[in-house]
Amino acid sequence: MQVLLADKYGFCFGVKRAIRITEKIAKYNPHTLTIGPLIHNPLEIQRLQKDFDVHVQEDINNLGQSKSVVIRTHGITKQNLIELQKKGVEITDATCPFVTKPQKIVEEMSKEGYKIVIFGDSSHPEVRSVMSYSTDIPIVVGNLDEVKAIKRIPKKIAIISQTTKQIEKFLEIVQYLIANSLEVRVFNTICNATFENQEATRNLSQKADIMIIVGGKTSSNTKQLFLIAKAHCEDSYLVEDEKDIQNDWFIGKKICGITAGASTPNWVIKNVEKAIEALNID
Amino acid sequence: MQVLLADKYGFCFGVKRAIRITEKIAKYNPHTLTIGPLIHNPLEIQRLQKDFDVHVQEDINNLGQSKSVVIRTHGITKQNLIELQKKGVEITDATCPFVTKPQKIVEEMSKEGYKIVIFGDSSHPEVRSVMSYSTDIPIVVGNLDEVKAIKRIPKKIAIISQTTKQIEKFLEIVQYLIANSLEVRVFNTICNATFENQEATRNLSQKADIMIIVGGKTSSNTKQLFLIAKAHCEDSYLVEDEKDIQNDWFIGKKICGITAGASTPNWVIKNVEKAIEALNID
């Protein structure tokens, strides 16, 4: 069996930057906290804890003795940021700049009177952080059907996307809104790394007969890669590390494609790759 | 053969309004001029000349002794309007309000630094009038291929459509721009009458085996109706009046659908309908 890596995969700019920032801060600040997991990869979170004494805390009112707090790549809500600033802790912002951008767009557009529509998952921390910058509650939609169910489409809309979504799905929603509204301001906030990883996954999954997507199970961009792979290659599997791999998936397969989410560390991908190559499959 | 009229067809709000305004002005002003044809229907233009002494003049520098000038439904360029205002003639503005709207959008958006993209025909008077309100020269595109041929897609775009275009084609272009730009402000300037006439034509042409589209040959919206009809019913014909009708088109046909552009007067449609019903076809 041939094992092929996607042309683009793994750590994106924002994730690399957040880890670099966090490691640097943690060197001089014992028991640094991140508000929620820094990135959506439990293995990398474990490594940061073990090697850098960095811990995850979801609740900003439960910081204990920690004096150093890092804001996760996905950002936090505006309200939480204000609360945090009152607590006298040192705040390091590791929010991905591609998330800061939609936060600013939402703040500005809602002030200008546009109704904010966000294509994304309303329970995802990135979307929650972006939503919080609107002066009124934005409309969050996960798919076209949810848009069609909106009773009164606002006349002036500003729409953005969660950075890790698929452009095709975003455009479907935008199309519907344009046809049913007077003005739609469209901000293409899907990040380039997402776009490139998705393109590479699409290409690879068209020639592979099994696809392994390596990444955290709560990672939005990893889930999108899985969905794209699955659309072209029925035998697609999402694994967090090499332990998730099952021997029988590979029986009779000729080409195994591997890709990984933007929050998946390279060492995890390497372990998966080695484990697959070591499989005793004819 | 059954003869069916589309559910919506013919004169739109803007055309009715322009004719009403022009007839009223012409009653008290002999030899009133319109700058270019008031609407794109030569038969109605002839009627206005014959019954109301209203004449067409393309050149604003050739007004002769006329003291009363009407601006056509499609509008004129900003520069021509300024020139005209210096000439001491009485100006009556019959520009369709659905054209005034994109003029204003283009003026405002170009001042705000957005590159203007217009989906339309650059030789059409409406597009020429709308274009002239931009602070720099807008990009005018007639189809998706022309958009794909743009070497550098601007980062901040405001896009509008000629009022009489098809929404599907507009959305194709918008999609491409969103995927290749940072911000796209989309103004759905396709007018409702256009949309409704197109919908009705689409429905009728799906059940008819011959379609007759009545309207001026330079009328953009009539041409769109023809293209829509043709997509569903191979035997579609564009006629200006009953004289264009050919007997042999109808041989063996069971359902004849009739529709008409937004600038086609009802009396012309009636004549066509009568002529078809009088055909000696089994």
Side-chain angles (χ1 to χ4, degrees):
Chain A
M1 185 180 68
Q2 200 183 355
V3 178
L4 297 174
L5 279 160
D7 284 339
K8 290 261 179 185
Y9 62 90
F11 270 13
C12 63
F13 161 77
V15 166
K16 277 186 210 161
R17 178 177 169 275
I19 291 170
R20 198 175 59 235
I21 290 173
T22 307
E23 287 179 350
K24 200 171 153 192
I25 288 296
K27 267 189 197 163
Y28 307 102
N29 294 280
H31 209 80
T32 286
L33 297 181
T34 63
I35 306 301
L38 184 69
I39 61 171
H40 270 142
N41 191 281
L43 298 165
E44 185 65 11
I45 299 302
Q46 280 167 29
R47 188 190 69 84
L48 286 171
Q49 182 169 344
K50 191 167 146 283
D51 297 355
F52 289 87
D53 190 28
V54 172
H55 302 264
V56 178
Q57 177 52 260
E58 292 285 353
D59 183 0
I60 60 159
N61 294 312
N62 200 6
L63 304 181
Q65 299 303 309
S66 288
K67 288 287 161 217
S68 165
V69 165
V70 176
I71 297 175
R72 63 194 297 177
T73 49
H74 317 94
I76 57 174
T77 65
K78 194 179 175 181
Q79 295 73 24
N80 273 354
L81 181 61
I82 292 166
E83 285 302 309
L84 209 52
Q85 281 162 344
K86 292 179 190 159
K87 291 188 186 292
V89 290
E90 190 186 337
I91 301 170
T92 306
D93 191 359
T95 308
C96 172
F98 295 114
V99 176
T100 314
K101 196 179 120 196
Q103 285 174 344
K104 281 187 186 148
I105 291 169
V106 164
E107 186 160 39
E108 201 178 304
M109 289 301 107
S110 65
K111 274 185 194 156
E112 284 188 31
Y114 290 86
K115 185 71 193 178
I116 304 296
V117 178
I118 301 175
F119 169 44
D121 169 4
S122 60
S123 66
H124 191 282
E126 176 192 321
V127 175
R128 288 211 309 268
S129 85
V130 171
M131 282 176 77
S132 72
Y133 283 81
S134 175
T135 53
D136 65 353
I137 298 168
I139 300 171
V140 182
V141 288
N143 56 53
L144 185 59
D145 287 339
E146 287 176 28
V147 182
K148 287 183 177 168
I150 299 171
K151 282 203 184 109
R152 287 183 68 177
I153 305 268
K155 293 283 169 237
K156 285 178 71 180
I157 291 169
I159 182 167
I160 59 148
S161 172
Q162 190 173 346
T163 55
T164 47
K165 287 289 185 183
Q166 294 177 46
I167 182 86
E168 294 78 11
K169 309 269 176 197
F170 181 52
L171 293 174
E172 268 179 23
I173 290 167
V174 167
Q175 275 212 347
Y176 183 85
L177 292 175
I178 293 169
N180 292 283
S181 183
L182 293 180
E183 183 189 353
V184 185
R185 291 181 78 156
V186 189
F187 298 85
N188 179 5
T189 51
I190 296 170
C191 82
N192 246 345
T194 293
F195 187 77
E196 288 172 0
N197 281 0
Q198 287 180 1
E199 270 296 286
T201 300
R202 191 172 290 116
N203 292 339
L204 183 55
S205 61
Q206 280 164 353
K207 54 186 171 188
D209 51 6
I210 176 166
M211 282 291 294
I212 303 297
I213 296 91
V214 193
K217 291 193 171 130
T218 54
S219 156
S220 166
N221 83 84
T222 306
K223 270 185 271 185
Q224 297 302 322
L225 295 183
F226 171 71
L227 291 174
I228 289 170
K230 186 90 180 164
H232 299 288
C233 173
E234 181 54 30
D235 290 319
S236 293
Y237 301 93
L238 177 51
V239 302
E240 250 171 34
D241 61 14
E242 69 280 10
K243 295 188 207 84
D244 286 342
I245 284 172
Q246 292 177 27
N247 213 73
D248 58 342
W249 292 347
F250 299 84
I251 295 166
K253 300 299 181 192
K254 288 192 176 59
I255 300 176
C256 171
I258 300 178
T259 187
S263 47
T264 313
N266 216 28
W267 58 272
V268 178
I269 306 166
K270 282 279 156 217
N271 286 347
V272 170
E273 191 186 359
K274 272 187 213 157
I276 290 172
E277 280 176 340
L279 285 171
N280 204 358
I281 303 288
D282 188 23
Chain B
M1 186 179 68
Q2 201 183 355
V3 178
L4 297 173
L5 279 161
D7 283 341
K8 289 259 179 186
Y9 63 89
F11 271 13
C12 63
F13 161 77
V15 166
K16 276 187 212 164
R17 178 177 169 275
I19 291 170
R20 198 174 59 235
I21 290 173
T22 307
E23 288 180 350
K24 200 170 153 193
I25 288 295
K27 267 189 196 164
Y28 306 102
N29 293 280
H31 209 80
T32 285
L33 296 180
T34 64
I35 306 300
L38 184 69
I39 61 170
H40 270 142
N41 191 282
L43 298 165
E44 184 66 10
I45 299 301
Q46 280 167 28
R47 188 190 69 84
L48 286 170
Q49 182 170 343
K50 190 167 148 284
D51 296 355
F52 289 87
D53 190 27
V54 173
H55 302 265
V56 178
Q57 177 52 259
E58 292 284 353
D59 184 359
I60 60 159
N61 295 313
N62 201 7
L63 304 182
Q65 299 303 310
S66 287
K67 289 286 160 217
S68 165
V69 165
V70 175
I71 298 175
R72 64 194 297 178
T73 49
H74 318 94
I76 58 173
T77 65
K78 194 178 174 181
Q79 295 73 25
N80 273 354
L81 181 61
I82 293 166
E83 285 303 308
L84 210 52
Q85 282 163 343
K86 292 178 190 161
K87 291 189 186 290
V89 290
E90 189 186 337
I91 301 169
T92 306
D93 190 359
T95 307
C96 171
F98 295 114
V99 175
T100 314
K101 194 179 122 197
Q103 285 174 345
K104 282 189 185 146
I105 291 169
V106 163
E107 186 160 39
E108 200 179 305
M109 289 301 107
S110 66
K111 274 186 194 156
E112 285 189 30
Y114 290 86
K115 185 72 194 178
I116 304 296
V117 179
I118 301 174
F119 169 43
D121 169 4
S122 60
S123 66
H124 191 282
E126 177 192 320
V127 175
R128 287 211 311 267
S129 85
V130 171
M131 282 177 78
S132 71
Y133 282 81
S134 175
T135 53
D136 64 353
I137 299 168
I139 300 172
V140 181
V141 289
N143 55 54
L144 185 59
D145 288 338
E146 288 177 27
V147 183
K148 287 183 178 168
I150 299 171
K151 282 202 184 108
R152 287 182 67 176
I153 305 268
K155 294 283 170 236
K156 285 177 72 181
I157 291 169
I159 183 167
I160 59 147
S161 172
Q162 191 174 345
T163 55
T164 47
K165 287 289 186 184
Q166 293 178 46
I167 182 86
E168 295 79 11
K169 309 272 176 195
F170 181 52
L171 293 175
E172 266 179 23
I173 289 167
V174 167
Q175 275 212 347
Y176 183 85
L177 292 175
I178 293 169
N180 292 282
S181 183
L182 293 180
E183 184 190 353
V184 185
R185 290 181 77 155
V186 189
F187 298 86
N188 179 5
T189 51
I190 297 170
C191 82
N192 245 345
T194 291
F195 186 77
E196 288 172 2
N197 281 1
Q198 288 180 0
E199 270 295 288
T201 299
R202 190 171 291 115
N203 291 340
L204 183 54
S205 62
Q206 280 165 352
K207 53 185 172 188
D209 52 6
I210 176 165
M211 282 289 296
I212 302 298
I213 298 91
V214 193
K217 289 191 173 131
T218 54
S219 156
S220 167
N221 84 83
T222 305
K223 271 186 269 183
Q224 298 301 323
L225 294 184
F226 171 71
L227 291 174
I228 290 169
K230 186 90 181 163
H232 299 288
C233 173
E234 181 53 32
D235 291 319
S236 294
Y237 301 93
L238 177 51
V239 302
E240 251 172 31
D241 62 14
E242 68 280 10
K243 294 188 207 84
D244 287 341
I245 284 173
Q246 292 177 27
N247 214 73
D248 57 344
W249 294 346
F250 299 86
I251 295 167
K253 300 298 181 190
K254 289 192 173 60
I255 301 176
C256 170
I258 300 178
T259 187
S263 46
T264 313
N266 216 28
W267 57 272
V268 177
I269 306 166
K270 282 278 158 219
N271 285 347
V272 169
E273 191 188 359
K274 271 187 215 157
I276 290 172
E277 280 177 339
L279 285 170
N280 204 357
I281 303 288
D282 189 21

